Amino acid sequence: MESDVEKATVTDAENKERDEVEASGWLSLFNFTSRIHLFSLSVALILSVASGIIIPVFAIILGKIFDLFTEYGANEMSGSDLVKRISIYGLGLVGLGSGGGTLNAGYFMAWLVFGELQAKSARGKLFDGMLKKDMDWYDMRKVGIDALTSRLQMHVRELQIATSQPLGSAVQYTVTALAAVGIAFYTAWSLTLVTLATVPFAAIILTWISARMQPSIDAQVEELNQASKRANNAISAIDTVKCFNGQDFEMWQYAKIIRKAARYYLIQAQANALQIGFVRLVTLSMFVQGFWYGSHLVTTGAKDPGQVLTTFWACLMATQAIEQILPQMIVLEKGRAAGATLKLLLAQMEKVCKVKRVIHGITPGYCDGDIEVRNVSFTYPSRPKQSALSHASFFFPSGETTFVVGKSGSGKSTLGNLLMRFYEPDSGDLRIDGNDIQLLDINWLRNNVTLVQQHSVLFDETIFKNIALGRKDHSKVRKEEVKRSIETALLQHTVRDLPHGLDTVVGANGSYMSGGQKQRIAIARARLRDTPILILDEATGALDHVSKTLVLDQIRKWRRGKTTIIITHDMSQIQKNEYVYVLEQGDIVQEGFRYALEKADSGPFGESLSSVITFPPTTRCQQQGKSAESSSVPASPSISEASEDPLSFQIFPRSHFVPSVFGLPPEGPRPGRPHQSMMPSLGPVVFPVNRVSIMPSTFTSTLQEKSQAPDLLDDVISPPASSTDRFLETERRGSWIDMTRFLNTDFTLVGSRRLSNGHLDLTRSKTTTPQQRQKPTKSERTRHVAPIQKILMTVWPTLTWRERLTLICGFFFAAIHAGATPAFSYLFSKLLGTFFLMENRSKMALMWSLSVLGVAVVDSIASFAMHYLLESCGQAWIDGLRIEALRRILDQPRAWFDKDTNNQSRLSSCLDRNAEEMRNLIGRFAGFIFVAVIMMGLAIVWSLVLCWKLTLVGLASAPYLYGVTRAFEAISGKWECKSNDAGEAASSIFTETFASIRVVRALTLEGYFHKKYSKATFRAFVVGLKRSALSGFFYGLSDCGIIFVSALIFYYGAVLASSRRYSIEDILTVFTMLLFSIANANAIIAFVPQLNSSRDTATRLLRLSNLPYKQSHEHTGRIRLSEPGPMEFSGLSFTYPSRPSAQVLLSLSLSLNPNTTTALVGASGSGKSTITSLLLGLYSPTSGTLTYNSFPISALHLPTLRTLVAMVPQSPMLISASIATNIAYALPENSPLASIQNIRAAAAAAGIDDFICSLPRGYETPVGAGGTDLSGGQAQRIAIARAIARRPKLLVLDEATSGLDAESARGVRETVRRMGREGCGVLAVTHEAEMMRACDEVVVLKGGAVAERGRFEDLVERSGGEMRHLLGG
């Protein structure tokens, strides 16, 4: 564990990284720009500059047109001349609009392409960089690899979005501002200086405000990392969460983190709103001094009214251009921070590399297989104070099989990790055939050494492909070769019985296979690889005794004459003439041949043999006939069961180093196999209770009823209340709003390999391909995106009343902000009218300028309030949906998580990236749309009153603008969805690669996954190019509309003016109101791509927040038991919904007495773990019944049942918290069970109290992400302590001692016996004979049904019995 000094060092490094990110400039947006991107960037910049000049040129033409109206108003021009000359400028505007549309289309397209290039470059460099990183680097990622990959993908997404249209808009508007200022200076430099006098001061203020944003961005990212890790852990360990009623606990913890992240985001929102409001104030108030001085220039004759107006228009357009940049600032800031973070990460990857990747090192022509480990010491970087190996020396002679045994955490697996060069030793060296492995070519080394680990990793491919990947030339592997490999792993019958045989897809991480099947596929892969050196690290731990024996016999046959290292706890598999190393605390305490070590009674090896069960010589397993795969091969895929036999240890003096050549002893009789034990049980009492909840932990706040607190977000979530409050809250809790009435939309995700009923189609087809997957139906290939209106209709039901009031206030200020523009237009026209006055011109100009100042102050305040309040509501909205989504995810039945569309990476992405993008719908887009609608409405009404004819002509263009905008929205939305899907596919490969990085490296599959990922990113890039072309075209059409409309309005205004039916002042007022309003509405078009992206991500998150709640089989019961009672399976059959063709349990009839301890045994795949899942209500039976004390489980209140039954899974899930928190997981804080006394008592019962107390921080020691700072055995014992701490009525152990050494396992068995004596029933799924012996009764399963049952001793003596066969008798 990390010491305080080490933690301080890590903290200092993190602070340094944060400072570097904060200090990074805007060039960080181009951190992934290479030379080949310069052409695209240059084109984008050129087009941005050209399109940015369009508006200033428009300002010049407006000035010329105003001059003509001024001359006409002064009777210096006839009406016909006015119409004629305005027509000329109108044609110029049409040409300008056409050119502007073309330039805007090109600029938009070019920037989208540049963003795609940046994403592709960042993805490629990240993938390459992470492939080169040491395992040290992966171990030190505090958030865990899953959360890390999720955050990296989000950073890439943020960089892509920022370097696309937002960056292009910033460049375009910057050019517009500079060009406009240039025109203003050219036209009237003195007036420009006076008008823009406040700009330098404003720039200083804006810079100061901007500096406040970066620290909050970094803090928010850190909190979102923690939230992502929390959600990942809960979803990946859903069995544990459900079994311990941890759903509310997980949701509460997640909500606390989300609330902290929201506070940091609101700081950003406040800063951005201040910027927008301040710029609005500066933009409008500059007319106070500007018009006063402009009036003076006209009066003195220094400038004519047209020049003054041109200057004002130019200054106004410059400030409006700056104002248009501000809404993009958060996006650009996040993109800058993302670029800096990713670049810093890559720089660290290049600098820190402990394990030298010698690519062109020594490549011997032949590997003989002699391995020497000389005086090696090693500590893992995540546990620097715990030595994994201490001056250890080994010799593994070529062509021989050597065993390495020892306690959990003794350093056995470390040996394999060092030989694969995942790590570099702290001291000492390792040699293969006399060559230092540090000097060997890394690929040569890994192509000659194969490591098969206990937790077998399979890729989301077919069985054939998973096995073929063992070979370097995997694309050339033939099925005949693979079939020979599966025979070694005794997998042929299993493959034969699968509907698609070798072409069956195994699912993500092999989720469709049982544990034993996964291990045998990994062994088959190693057989095909057939390297000179093989390391098996508990590689048969998930197999039953006979399967394990038969597979090891096959391995011995295959490995004859080749170097093999077998790391195990199972002493029974070691033959008399095989050499053994015994490790303890990283040191070798005993070594020698088995026959010699058996005679050393004082040694750990000799003592461990005392529990081995032996049979008469005539009943050996080999005489049963090895040729038959028999019970070792289940007929259908199932859930895994694992087994490792015990080994106990004592201190034993270190023996001599083994010489390079030593003789073998004569062949002797094979010893019997060591066996295992089990434990007692308890009687049940049952009574029905009403609907009162007695769950140990309840998420008391809902999204409809939240406690009020000073902070805007304090009421998003509340900590668990007292038990009474929890009961009341449970009863009054309103159901979450049914959003299907708002979202009548098909949320089926693209890419599913499921059929419409959610099941896999495993029926045998006539022809299959090696990569066959189930093709989705047409409805599955089409994923609809919810309309923006329906998405926004979910906001109101989600918010609390306080948040609803905030939302109302936000839209109230938005209405004021919208009204300010027509008001400004009116006052602006009055200012223009002063140029026609012959008297009091300066006085009137000052009066109307001060009026403008008043509007500016009101508008700036309204603008600030609108943006901040709507951002806070948007944050509250997505927080509510996030929490509700996680709540409903955790409430789904276990079968839901087996579906491919609901895998962990997709769910985490929805909760993480999707929610962040979704917030913009309220925070940014809803306000703009509302303002545009109000603004247009006010402007149209006002204009109709003043000049209805001109207004109607202007409105005649509305169908064109609406049609083009809708087409742009539809095309952009469709391709945004496709682009997101393509990016998600690439992200899945990224996650799969680095979640399994050890296996990828061990099999030298870096090239394969690099190619696979490159293809996926290229596909995403191609989709992005198509999106760019189509979106750019329609953007150009929609963006040029305002200029066409302006030409039409000016022409018809001249016609009306020449007819003398309307005054020049009224016509100018209509001009300004319509032009300002249309310009503001037109600016929303630039947000359409981001809006569509937010719509797509909102659809995904709303799918989760609208999942059925409390409608599964887990919520049908109301009866609450005080005791589990007798458990009865009657004619029960079961198939997993994800693989309906595979029958796991078949008409099972089984009664379990809670007053006894029962062992549940059987071959791998016989349905043992499935029975435990059914007992805890994780799945419902396909047919038949399961009852507790005569009550069907469907009638029982499962949360109550799960407080009575505690389960210890084979693979423990630990949260990233302290040891004490893990043991007291999901227990109410005020419960006596959560006291430190009870926690310590449980840890002592699990045999880990002494170890915990020896740690520097004791029970407050953090376990790391997923328990990575502990060994497998230590994590398993903490999981056992967690179950014991609940003082259950029934304890279910699913291979709970499989990861323990004999001494620890013996301690657990004693604890089980003690619990049985104290009245706690026990059901143990096991392969271990000693555990069976400890139980009152043993039930043997075969083919999903009971084969035999009885006392262990009786079953062992039964000739030809299934138990005897399982134990190798």
Side-chain angles (χ1 to χ4, degrees):
M1 304 295 169
E2 293 179 342
S3 64
D4 293 338
V5 175
E6 287 151 353
K7 287 195 170 186
T9 304
V10 171
T11 303
D12 292 342
E14 290 175 346
N15 291 336
K16 184 178 179 181
E17 291 176 14
R18 191 176 295 112
D19 292 341
E20 290 184 33
V21 171
E22 291 178 8
S24 62
W26 290 110
L27 288 178
S28 295
L29 289 169
F30 305 98
N31 278 341
F32 294 91
T33 304
S34 61
R35 290 184 178 180
I36 61 175
H37 301 162
L38 292 179
F39 175 76
S40 173
L41 179 60
S42 300
V43 171
L45 288 171
I46 292 170
L47 292 174
S48 295
V49 171
S51 61
I53 295 174
I54 296 295
I55 298 301
V57 174
F58 182 52
I60 295 174
I61 296 177
L62 287 182
K64 299 296 184 183
I65 291 174
F66 181 74
D67 261 343
L68 295 177
F69 278 101
T70 303
E71 292 177 17
Y72 177 74
N75 295 317
E76 297 175 4
M77 182 187 302
S78 66
S80 58
D81 288 340
L82 174 66
V83 173
K84 182 178 179 181
R85 296 181 67 179
I86 289 292
S87 298
I88 295 173
Y89 283 116
L91 291 175
L93 286 176
V94 171
L96 183 66
S98 301
T102 304
L103 289 173
N104 277 314
Y107 125 85
F108 194 85
M109 184 189 309
W111 280 109
L112 287 182
V113 170
F114 181 70
E116 292 289 343
L117 287 170
Q118 299 314 289
K120 186 173 183 292
S121 176
R123 286 167 175 156
K125 289 183 178 180
L126 279 173
F127 195 87
D128 292 343
M130 289 181 67
L131 274 184
K132 297 174 184 176
K133 284 309 298 174
D134 304 332
M135 292 310 304
D136 292 20
W137 184 84
Y138 289 95
D139 290 347
M140 294 301 288
R141 299 307 98 190
K142 294 192 298 181
V143 297
I145 295 302
D146 288 337
L148 173 67
T149 54
S150 175
R151 295 306 300 173
L152 288 179
Q153 296 304 313
M154 183 167 182
H155 284 321
V156 171
R157 176 70 175 172
E158 289 171 343
L159 179 64
Q160 177 184 359
I161 291 175
T163 54
S164 297
Q165 183 258 339
L167 180 57
S169 295
V171 173
Q172 183 189 42
Y173 288 128
T174 300
V175 171
T176 298
L178 293 175
V181 170
I183 291 172
F185 271 104
Y186 176 79
T187 306
W189 66 268
S190 58
L191 178 59
T192 303
L193 287 177
V194 171
T195 304
L196 301 179
T198 56
V199 169
F201 171 73
I204 295 173
I205 298 296
L206 290 176
T207 303
W208 175 77
I209 294 174
S210 182
R212 296 183 57 201
M213 293 175 66
Q214 186 56 48
S216 60
I217 289 176
D218 295 334
Q220 184 202 13
V221 167
E222 178 60 30
E223 293 301 328
L224 289 177
N225 278 335
Q226 296 300 321
S228 178
K229 180 175 71 173
R230 190 88 212 183
N232 269 321
N233 288 345
I235 295 169
S236 62
I238 187 63
D239 286 3
T240 303
V241 172
K242 285 181 174 291
C243 290
F244 288 101
N245 289 326
Q247 297 97 319
D248 291 339
F249 173 80
E250 290 293 340
M251 191 165 53
W252 177 58
Q253 295 292 329
Y254 179 77
K256 284 199 304 182
I257 302 171
I258 287 296
R259 184 174 58 184
K260 290 179 66 177
R263 287 173 177 165
Y264 289 122
Y265 180 78
L266 289 183
I267 295 174
Q268 303 168 42
Q270 185 184 60
N272 191 247
L274 277 173
Q275 288 179 321
I276 294 173
F278 186 72
V279 168
R280 193 73 180 167
L281 175 65
V282 171
T283 300
L284 300 183
S285 63
M286 67 183 184
F287 288 97
V288 175
Q289 69 268 22
F291 258 96
W292 173 83
Y293 186 65
S295 178
H296 170 73
L297 291 177
V298 173
T299 302
T300 59
K303 297 292 179 182
D304 59 51
Q307 290 174 313
V308 172
L309 181 64
T310 299
T311 303
F312 281 143
W313 269 112
C315 291
L316 180 63
M317 288 179 177
T319 53
Q320 280 187 331
I322 295 174
E323 191 176 6
Q324 290 295 328
I325 296 174
L326 293 179
Q328 308 286 4
M329 285 306 296
I330 287 184
V331 178
L332 293 173
E333 281 281 357
K334 286 195 170 185
R336 181 193 64 77
T341 302
L342 294 175
K343 190 68 175 179
L344 182 62
L345 186 67
L346 286 174
Q348 291 173 349
M349 291 178 185
E350 293 170 0
K351 289 178 184 177
V352 184
C353 191
K354 289 185 179 180
V355 178
K356 301 172 184 175
R357 294 182 60 83
V358 183
I359 302 301
H360 300 293
I362 301 173
T363 55
Y366 178 75
C367 179
D368 189 41
D370 270 338
I371 302 174
E372 293 184 61
V373 180
R374 298 179 176 177
N375 204 33
V376 166
S377 296
F378 176 73
T379 56
Y380 286 97
S382 59
R383 310 190 290 271
K385 293 300 181 182
Q386 290 180 271
S387 179
L389 286 177
S390 178
H391 305 290
S393 296
F394 303 84
F395 179 75
F396 303 100
S398 63
E400 297 187 14
T401 297
T402 309
F403 282 77
V404 179
V405 299
K407 290 182 178 181
S408 302
S410 61
K412 305 184 299 299
S413 297
T414 301
L415 180 62
N417 290 333
L418 292 176
L419 286 171
M420 295 300 297
R421 274 188 57 193
F422 291 152
Y423 303 92
E424 190 174 89
D426 299 333
S427 63
D429 58 61
L430 299 92
R431 294 179 176 272
I432 294 179
D433 295 341
N435 299 306
D436 190 334
I437 66 170
Q438 304 301 321
L439 303 178
L440 290 172
D441 179 273
I442 190 72
N443 289 328
W444 181 93
L445 173 68
R446 290 173 181 169
N447 282 324
N448 282 276
V449 181
T450 298
L451 173 64
V452 182
Q453 296 175 308
Q454 178 178 5
H455 300 292
S456 304
V457 173
L458 301 183
F459 305 111
D460 193 10
E461 304 278 1
T462 62
I463 294 176
F464 174 83
K465 190 66 174 180
N466 269 282
I467 296 174
L469 286 174
R471 276 251 297 266
K472 190 175 182 181
D473 57 342
H474 48 81
S475 60
K476 299 178 181 179
V477 173
R478 293 174 290 112
K479 283 197 173 183
E480 290 72 20
E481 299 174 275
V482 170
K483 287 177 181 177
R484 287 195 295 270
S485 298
I486 66 174
E487 288 173 1
T488 298
L490 299 181
L491 196 62
Q492 62 269 36
H493 290 184
T494 298
V495 171
R496 181 195 62 197
D497 293 334
L498 291 172
H500 295 296
L502 285 172
D503 297 325
T504 300
V505 177
V506 303
N509 198 26
S511 58
Y512 300 160
M513 300 286 109
S514 72
Q517 290 162 354
K518 287 196 288 186
Q519 284 198 334
R520 282 184 282 179
I521 291 174
I523 291 171
R525 183 166 59 197
R527 175 64 180 91
L528 183 69
R529 192 172 178 80
D530 198 18
T531 54
I533 299 172
L534 173 67
I535 305 171
L536 300 177
D537 186 358
E538 298 287 0
T540 57
L543 303 181
D544 60 83
H545 193 86
V546 170
S547 299
K548 186 184 302 183
T549 302
L550 295 175
V551 169
L552 278 175
D553 286 343
Q554 289 290 323
I555 290 173
R556 283 192 177 92
K557 193 181 300 181
W558 153 42
R559 298 300 299 175
R560 191 171 295 138
K562 297 176 182 178
T563 306
T564 306
I565 302 172
I566 301 178
I567 298 169
T568 185
H569 284 134
D570 190 354
M571 299 277 297
S572 68
Q573 304 303 328
I574 306 175
Q575 297 182 352
K576 284 189 175 293
N577 57 2
E578 289 174 327
Y579 204 84
V580 183
Y581 287 97
V582 183
L583 287 180
E584 188 172 284
Q585 296 182 356
D587 200 4
I588 299 172
V589 295
Q590 197 175 12
E591 62 177 282
F593 295 104
R594 170 170 175 160
Y595 76 92
L597 296 180
E598 288 176 346
K599 300 175 182 177
D601 293 336
S602 60
F605 190 92
E607 274 207 357
S608 67
L609 295 176
S610 60
S611 63
V612 174
I613 298 176
T614 58
F615 295 95
T618 58
T619 60
R620 296 174 55 204
C621 174
Q622 290 84 347
Q623 296 174 0
Q624 298 270 337
K626 295 186 205 174
S627 58
E629 215 175 320
S630 64
S631 63
S632 67
V633 184
S636 59
S638 175
I639 300 298
S640 77
E641 289 97 19
S643 143
E644 295 166 279
D645 285 311
L647 172 66
S648 58
F649 299 95
Q650 293 179 357
I651 299 299
F652 190 80
R654 171 84 177 272
S655 69
H656 61 280
F657 181 72
V658 183
S660 296
V661 180
F662 52 90
L664 294 177
E667 181 80 351
R670 287 186 70 173
R673 309 298 186 199
H675 295 341
Q676 299 91 335
S677 112
M678 165 98 188
M679 43 258 183
S681 176
L682 170 163
V685 178
V686 296
F687 58 92
V689 188
N690 288 329
R691 297 172 55 186
V692 181
S693 172
I694 56 170
M695 293 171 63
S697 174
T698 309
F699 190 79
T700 60
S701 287
T702 69
L703 295 162
Q704 290 75 32
E705 301 176 359
K706 302 175 187 175
S707 61
Q708 302 300 310
D711 191 274
L712 278 172
L713 289 170
D714 280 347
D715 50 3
V716 172
I717 198 65
S718 301
S722 66
S723 58
T724 304
D725 292 337
R726 282 198 301 274
F727 156 60
L728 294 174
E729 182 65 358
T730 301
E731 288 300 280
R732 74 170 184 263
R733 177 181 296 166
S735 62
W736 175 252
I737 188 73
D738 183 8
M739 295 182 183
T740 51
R741 55 195 173 122
F742 300 115
L743 296 164
N744 188 17
T745 305
D746 181 9
F747 288 104
T748 304
L749 295 180
V750 165
S752 173
R753 297 198 304 274
R754 311 276 171 165
L755 299 180
S756 59
N757 62 357
H759 295 165
L760 277 176
D761 181 10
L762 290 178
T763 56
R764 189 185 298 275
S765 57
K766 293 181 179 178
T767 58
T768 56
T769 61
Q771 297 299 328
Q772 180 170 358
R773 292 174 183 268
Q774 300 308 311
K775 294 182 179 180
T777 62
K778 182 177 180 180
S779 63
E780 289 175 314
R781 289 193 298 268
T782 304
R783 175 166 52 81
H784 300 287
V785 178
I788 183 67
Q789 302 94 324
K790 291 186 177 180
I791 294 174
L792 294 179
M793 287 176 69
T794 67
V795 176
W796 184 263
T798 307
L799 302 179
T800 62
W801 278 108
R802 181 182 179 185
E803 291 159 356
R804 291 173 183 176
L805 181 61
T806 302
L807 182 66
I808 293 171
C809 291
F811 280 106
F812 171 75
F813 284 110
I816 295 176
H817 174 56
T821 298
F824 172 78
S825 301
Y826 173 76
L827 295 175
F828 188 73
S829 67
K830 291 296 184 182
L831 280 171
L832 296 180
T834 61
F835 291 125
F836 305 118
L837 298 177
M838 306 309 296
E839 298 178 357
N840 297 325
R841 178 180 294 168
S842 297
K843 180 180 178 181
M844 295 302 294
L846 179 60
M847 183 187 74
W848 292 117
S849 296
L850 290 175
S851 299
V852 168
L853 179 61
V855 172
V857 172
V858 173
D859 190 28
S860 62
I861 295 173
S863 182
F864 164 78
M866 176 192 81
H867 284 91
Y868 178 69
L869 294 178
L870 290 182
E871 285 281 11
S872 66
C873 287
Q875 186 66 48
W877 177 45
I878 66 162
D879 285 346
L881 289 176
R882 270 173 163 161
I883 295 166
E884 184 64 19
L886 184 62
R887 173 189 180 194
R888 294 188 175 228
I889 287 171
L890 298 181
D891 182 69
Q892 296 310 296
R894 181 61 181 82
W896 184 84
F897 294 88
D898 294 334
K899 297 181 180 180
D900 190 48
T901 53
N902 303 322
N903 65 47
Q904 176 186 331
S905 62
R906 290 190 180 189
L907 296 177
S908 299
S909 177
C910 283
L911 293 172
D912 192 1
R913 175 177 71 84
N914 292 358
E916 289 297 296
E917 291 188 27
M918 181 179 176
R919 177 184 50 229
N920 293 333
L921 290 175
I922 289 295
R924 295 171 64 193
F925 307 135
F928 281 119
I929 294 172
F930 181 77
V931 166
V933 171
I934 296 295
M935 193 182 299
M936 289 293 293
L938 290 175
I940 290 171
V941 171
W942 202 335
S943 298
L944 285 171
V945 171
L946 294 175
C947 184
W948 65 271
K949 289 186 176 181
L950 181 59
T951 304
L952 289 179
V953 169
L955 291 178
S957 62
Y960 164 77
L961 293 176
Y962 177 78
V964 172
T965 303
R966 289 291 295 173
F968 176 43
E969 180 187 357
I971 293 296
S972 176
K974 175 183 176 181
W975 284 93
E976 187 70 36
C977 181
K978 290 185 176 182
S979 183
N980 284 341
D981 289 337
E984 191 176 78
S987 298
S988 297
I989 299 172
F990 187 92
T991 301
E992 180 182 36
T993 302
F994 295 107
S996 311
I997 187 62
R998 288 179 187 267
V999 177
V1000 170
R1001 286 185 172 168
L1003 299 176
T1004 61
L1005 291 175
E1006 293 94 335
Y1008 169 78
F1009 279 98
H1010 187 276
K1011 184 178 180 181
K1012 185 177 180 181
Y1013 185 67
S1014 296
K1015 286 182 178 179
T1017 55
F1018 182 74
R1019 283 194 296 269
F1021 178 66
V1022 170
V1023 172
L1025 291 183
K1026 294 178 181 178
R1027 175 178 70 109
S1028 304
L1030 291 169
S1031 298
F1033 174 75
F1034 283 95
Y1035 176 76
L1037 284 180
S1038 58
D1039 193 66
C1040 65
I1042 185 174
I1043 300 181
F1044 293 148
V1045 175
S1046 301
L1048 178 63
I1049 291 174
F1050 284 131
Y1051 171 76
Y1052 191 66
V1055 172
L1056 292 177
S1058 65
S1059 68
R1060 301 290 183 177
R1061 295 178 182 176
Y1062 296 93
S1063 67
I1064 294 294
E1065 183 178 356
D1066 288 342
I1067 289 175
L1068 289 178
T1069 300
V1070 174
F1071 279 167
T1072 53
M1073 283 195 293
L1074 289 181
L1075 289 178
F1076 269 94
S1077 300
I1078 294 174
N1080 279 279
N1082 195 60
I1084 297 175
I1085 295 173
F1087 291 110
V1088 167
Q1090 297 175 56
L1091 187 147
N1092 280 319
S1093 177
S1094 297
R1095 279 179 56 216
D1096 182 49
T1097 54
T1099 301
R1100 297 168 189 251
L1101 182 59
L1102 287 171
R1103 166 187 171 259
L1104 298 179
S1105 63
N1106 196 46
L1107 288 169
Y1109 184 63
K1110 292 191 175 181
Q1111 295 181 23
S1112 70
H1113 72 277
E1114 296 186 6
H1115 300 285
T1116 58
R1118 292 292 180 268
I1119 298 174
R1120 299 160 192 255
L1121 304 177
S1122 62
E1123 302 284 345
M1127 294 154 281
E1128 185 80 31
F1129 294 81
S1130 301
L1132 188 145
S1133 296
F1134 178 77
T1135 59
Y1136 286 99
S1138 60
R1139 38 191 193 274
S1141 300
Q1143 192 77 36
V1144 182
L1145 297 178
L1146 182 61
S1147 299
L1148 175 70
S1149 294
L1150 171 66
S1151 59
L1152 298 174
N1153 190 334
N1155 297 317
T1156 60
T1157 56
T1158 305
L1160 200 59
V1161 304
S1164 300
S1166 59
K1168 303 184 298 297
S1169 293
T1170 300
I1171 288 176
T1172 65
S1173 296
L1174 292 171
L1175 282 172
L1176 284 152
L1178 296 177
Y1179 296 90
S1180 59
T1182 306
S1183 63
T1185 59
L1186 165 61
T1187 61
Y1188 278 83
N1189 202 23
S1190 302
F1191 291 101
I1193 192 170
S1194 59
L1196 299 180
H1197 185 253
L1198 285 182
T1200 302
L1201 179 64
R1202 289 168 181 169
T1203 63
L1204 304 176
V1205 181
M1207 181 176 180
V1208 181
Q1210 181 180 351
S1211 300
M1213 184 282 288
L1214 301 183
I1215 60 176
S1216 182
S1218 67
I1219 293 175
T1221 302
N1222 271 280
I1223 295 176
Y1225 175 73
L1227 288 173
E1229 291 183 7
N1230 56 356
S1231 169
L1233 300 179
S1235 66
I1236 188 62
Q1237 293 81 7
N1238 186 61
I1239 291 172
R1240 287 203 61 181
I1248 199 171
D1249 179 62
D1250 292 341
F1251 165 76
I1252 297 173
C1253 292
S1254 69
L1255 298 172
R1257 299 177 62 184
Y1259 280 83
E1260 294 305 311
T1261 301
V1263 301
T1268 53
D1269 288 356
L1270 302 172
S1271 72
Q1274 291 160 353
Q1276 187 68 284
R1277 278 179 282 175
I1278 289 177
I1280 295 171
R1282 178 175 59 195
I1284 295 174
R1286 280 153 174 76
R1287 300 181 186 177
K1289 301 295 185 180
L1290 175 65
L1291 181 65
V1292 179
L1293 304 176
D1294 188 358
E1295 297 290 357
T1297 58
S1298 62
L1300 304 182
D1301 56 82
E1303 183 178 331
S1304 301
R1306 186 162 47 246
V1308 171
R1309 288 195 298 271
E1310 289 302 319
T1311 300
V1312 167
R1313 290 189 182 98
R1314 179 178 56 78
M1315 293 181 70
R1317 290 193 297 270
E1318 293 174 358
C1320 176
V1322 178
L1323 176 66
V1325 173
T1326 184
H1327 289 311
E1328 299 179 356
E1330 284 302 317
M1331 187 65 81
M1332 300 177 203
R1333 193 202 299 268
C1335 294
D1336 299 329
E1337 185 181 39
V1338 178
V1339 175
V1340 184
L1341 297 179
K1342 183 179 181 182
V1346 176
E1348 59 184 5
R1349 65 185 301 172
R1351 293 178 61 252
F1352 174 74
E1353 292 77 7
D1354 297 336
L1355 295 178
V1356 167
E1357 294 298 326
R1358 187 177 297 172
S1359 178
E1362 191 62 30
M1363 167 66 82
R1364 194 176 183 88
H1365 179 68
L1366 282 173
L1367 296 177

